Amino acid sequence: MLDVRRLVLLRDLARLGTIASVAQAHAYTPSAVSQQLAALQREAGIRLLERSGRRVSLTATATALVRHTEVILAALEAADATLAAARTGLRGSVRIGAFPSAVRTLLPAALVTLARDHPALDLMITELDPVDMPAALRSRQLDVALLHDYDIAPVPPDPALDSIALLEETVYLAVPAGVLSGDDADLGGADLDAVGGARDAQWIVGSPGTLCHSVALHVCQMAGFAPAVRHHVDDFTAMLALVAAGEGVALVPQLAVTQPSPQVRLLPLTLRRRTRIAYRRGAGDHPAVLACVWALRRATTALPSGVPIDS
């Protein structure tokens, strides 16, 4: 019988590419990972890894085994969900990951609902950039996570995760009050015109490596220019404060503008940010996951009327 923990190491090697990265993800030494993979190869009775210089790569058999591993892990998650559903009462730890604007707008109401309906749950929130959440779910650091992408930059599905749609938001071009005004007052209806009208402005974008950074650069590229980036900021509230101070322009989603400043003009674009609730494949029927999904959906419908959201 193959060892599931060793199969997970093989799966993560396929995803991360190096034994050193797998070791770091699991808090092992590279030597320990190599020994476990060698033991898995002996269990399998067939070569799973090939050396290319100082790196290793998966054989075709190992790649097929990784696909089976995802099925096995999903079945184990489903088995755990079945056991949890058979128990009386909902208890234990639930670790929820979310991006900053969701932590500020959606999570408080969802936590109140969960605490009221399931007082024995131990709820823990971790703020993360969406690019980091799939790995946190796979490694069981999180049980549920709010992920987002943009319609112009969809994120490919992760074979280890399942997700359901939660909401979509309009994205705005935020500019200092008085900028792009007058003859440009109608620019909010046409994305390329509105963004192109800010081609000579200084831009405030997310940190390199974040999805928001990539999307901002992509939107400007679609409008025919490379933005002059002045500030890297990941918190949308801070971003809007800098826009209000005349420090540049920025792309911000609806959840970030619940209290718009009179010093900021918001030009709605057709660009959409899409948020979904993600969890490990097979865990969708776990009572704690179902409770989180219900609470988050309820929090979405309870958003202030000034923040129109398509749920």
Side-chain angles (χ1 to χ4, degrees), residues 98-177:
F99 48 91
S101 54
V103 171
R104 187 175 65 254
T105 57
L106 292 175
L107 265 295
L111 292 178
V112 168
T113 297
L114 287 167
R116 181 198 65 209
D117 295 346
H118 307 287
L121 282 181
D122 183 16
L123 304 167
M124 294 178 285
I125 303 300
T126 299
E127 184 181 291
L128 287 174
D129 188 272
V131 298
D132 298 319
M133 288 192 213
L137 284 167
R138 283 189 298 266
S139 64
R140 309 187 74 83
Q141 297 174 51
L142 296 176
D143 300 303
V144 176
L146 291 179
L147 309 180
H148 70 238
D149 66 1
Y150 293 79
D151 54 3
I152 64 165
V155 174
D158 189 309
L161 307 180
D162 279 332
S163 65
I164 57 174
L166 180 64
L167 58 87
E168 288 192 358
E169 307 163 69
T170 295
V171 177
Y172 297 94
L173 176 65
V175 303

Side-chain angles (χ1 to χ4, degrees), residues 179-267:
V179 173
L180 298 180
S181 59
D183 293 339
D184 298 323
D186 62 341
L187 291 184
D191 289 21
L192 295 182
D193 287 343
V195 174
R199 68 174 58 245
D200 296 325
Q202 299 291 318
W203 280 74
I204 307 163
V205 303
S207 298
T210 64
L211 182 58
C212 292
H213 177 272
S214 300
V215 167
L217 267 57
H218 185 48
V219 167
C220 293
Q221 183 182 39
M222 291 173 62
F225 69 97
V229 177
R230 185 172 187 178
H231 303 294
H232 290 105
V233 178
D234 294 321
D235 179 80
F236 286 121
T237 301
M239 208 178 260
L240 287 167
L242 290 173
V243 173
E247 286 293 305
V249 303
L251 298 180
V252 294
Q254 276 174 283
L255 285 181
V257 293
T258 53
Q259 296 179 318
S261 166
Q263 281 76 46
V264 176
R265 184 173 178 222
L266 299 170
L267 303 176

Side-chain angles (χ1 to χ4, degrees), residues 26-75:
H26 289 269
Y28 292 164
T29 64
S31 176
V33 172
S34 295
Q35 291 172 14
Q36 291 299 310
L37 291 174
L40 177 63
Q41 187 165 261
R42 289 194 298 272
E43 290 174 347
I46 191 170
R47 182 176 293 279
L48 299 176
L49 302 176
E50 296 176 331
R51 285 213 165 266
S52 177
R54 300 182 63 181
R55 297 175 67 90
V56 294
S57 58
L58 275 65
T59 64
T61 300
T63 300
L65 194 55
V66 166
R67 291 195 294 268
H68 287 299
T69 298
E70 298 292 6
V71 175
I72 292 166
L73 294 175

